[in-house]
Amino acid sequence: MMQRTTPVELPPGYIVFFQNLESWQNEQEIFLKKTCSFPKVDLVKTLAAHKKPLVRVKKINIPAEEYKNLLLKFLSFLKAERPDTSKAVKNIEDHMASLDIDTITSQLIINETGFLNDLARDLNVSSELLLFIFDHTLRPFLRILAAPYREELIAREYNSWEFPSICPVCGAKSNISRLRAEDGHRFMFCDRCFMEWETAYLRCVYCGNTEPHTIRYLNVENDDAYQVYVCEKCKGYLKTYDERQTGTKVDLFITNMETIYLDMLAQEKGYQNHEDN
Ligand SMILES: [Zn+2]
Ligand SMILES: [Zn+2]
């Protein structure tokens, strides 16, 4: 895969690692799809009735054996790609039999991470790394869950979901959107389950502000397709890839990683992505 040059240099191998991770997850998703599926609901109706992401309304059961197998595969992947994690990986492998997979998956799927701290201490692994490992193992399952809803949600008007910075399926916080080449409509992207949902072009995804002149965008010189929309009311920012500038789509999962310079640009100017909300 081609890599573009960005204004801020990323650590060597950083983007390649995430490209390999995404390919690996795609392969695992294809493999898992043969045996794993989730009951389909009327998503639009469910969202409208409960005003919560799908995973918080319906109990999603992740098959424990499959998750455990995938976790083992992911640990091997990680050891090969990032040898500096091998000690932590070994600690997890050694405790595999005692891991409470149902608790791990049922908590993570609703973005509850409180259980991780004790477990991380017992395993002698940092809680950040443990969260990364468990959550990235969960992602192929979440993408299988989200896949049946992607087209219908892309076709919906934005007003069918009222928390545009939160993924309506998996509840993760989104930091990036794209403006569609054909009509400039804005779609939020979830890099956890790959869901996309429409939101208004000029309406702050955090506070709902639509006042003229209080939402504008910043970008880096000669880099017109990569933008940051900022809101003067709540000081929020949203990274955006404008397909109209290039006529082409990009992989938003990788773009989100590559555009750390846009986060820096926005944060330097006093804006924030409301990560804690
Ligand atoms: Zn999601
Ligand atoms: Zn705002």
Side-chain angles (χ1 to χ4, degrees):
M1 248 180 280
M2 270 282 290
Q3 267 182 57
R4 57 186 215 104
T5 323
T6 55
V8 171
E9 217 174 297
L10 295 165
Y14 182 81
I15 293 299
V16 172
F17 170 74
F18 281 101
Q19 286 171 337
N20 292 347
L21 172 58
E22 190 185 17
S23 303
W24 181 83
Q25 284 169 327
N26 286 343
E27 284 165 27
Q28 301 309 317
E29 184 187 333
I30 291 167
F31 182 72
L32 278 173
K33 255 197 311 219
K34 293 176 188 161
T35 53
C36 174
S37 66
F38 300 97
K40 193 160 185 267
V41 301
D42 185 331
L43 182 64
V44 171
K45 226 186 215 167
T46 306
L47 296 178
H50 296 273
K51 306 191 188 314
K52 283 179 190 167
L54 178 63
V55 294
R56 288 205 165 257
V57 179
K58 300 275 174 210
K59 171 110 175 64
I60 310 293
N61 294 308
I62 302 296
E65 269 314 299
E66 270 102 330
Y67 183 88
K68 201 170 186 171
N69 290 339
L70 196 61
L71 180 57
L72 282 169
K73 285 194 205 171
F74 186 51
L75 292 173
S76 304
F77 167 86
L78 206 55
K79 236 186 320 193
E81 292 282 328
R82 293 287 306 269
D84 56 317
T85 62
S86 58
K87 196 166 166 284
V89 166
K90 173 119 193 356
N91 290 350
I92 301 170
E93 283 171 342
D94 288 348
H95 290 83
M96 207 62 187
S98 65
L99 289 182
D100 181 351
I101 300 291
D102 282 329
T103 300
I104 293 169
T105 57
S106 62
Q107 292 293 295
L108 271 188
I109 204 166
I110 54 169
N111 302 293
E112 289 295 340
T113 56
F115 73 99
L116 273 172
N117 292 332
D118 287 348
L119 187 56
R121 207 188 40 228
D122 294 348
L123 297 175
N124 196 19
V125 175
S126 82
S127 38
E128 291 79 17
L129 181 59
L130 202 56
L131 173 62
F132 178 85
I133 291 170
F134 287 161
D135 196 62
H136 276 275
T137 303
L138 187 64
R139 289 181 184 203
F141 294 96
L142 290 172
R143 289 166 195 170
I144 292 172
L145 170 70
Y149 305 113
R150 257 177 228 138
E151 277 189 21
E152 68 177 285
L153 220 61
I154 283 178
R156 285 300 287 204
E157 294 282 323
Y158 58 82
N159 57 14
S160 60
W161 177 235
E162 54 198 284
F163 308 103
S165 69
I166 304 293
C167 173
V169 171
C170 82
K173 168 92 173 35
S174 167
N175 296 312
I176 194 159
S177 71
R178 68 179 171 104
L179 300 177
R180 186 161 63 186
E182 304 90 280
D183 51 17
H185 285 208
R186 182 188 297 280
F187 293 89
M188 300 295 290
F189 171 73
C190 174
D191 67 1
R192 194 170 180 236
C193 74
F194 288 174
M195 199 67 191
E196 288 191 284
W197 58 101
E198 186 170 359
T199 185
Y201 171 63
L202 279 182
R203 175 178 180 271
C204 174
V205 293
Y206 305 107
C207 74
N209 173 31
T210 54
E211 254 171 61
H213 313 301
T214 61
I215 297 178
R216 59 195 180 92
Y217 76 86
L218 319 168
N219 66 340
V220 177
E221 223 180 316
N222 302 321
D223 203 12
D224 295 337
Y226 297 83
Q227 309 163 345
V228 184
Y229 281 71
V230 297
C231 168
E232 294 309 335
K233 217 162 202 175
C234 73
K235 292 283 169 187
Y237 77 86
L238 174 66
K239 296 196 288 187
T240 299
Y241 176 76
D242 187 349
E243 293 175 0
R244 296 171 304 181
Q245 304 290 337
T246 58
T248 53
K249 285 191 166 196
V250 290
D251 178 335
L252 287 174
F253 175 76
I254 296 300
T255 298
N256 195 22
M257 304 289 167
E258 280 176 341
T259 51
I260 288 170
Y261 63 95
L262 289 178
D263 294 277
M264 292 165 74
L265 174 72
Q267 285 165 16
E268 264 165 31
K269 292 184 188 291
Y271 300 99
Q272 51 159 311
N273 62 10
H274 299 288
E275 198 60 81
D276 301 329
N277 296 0

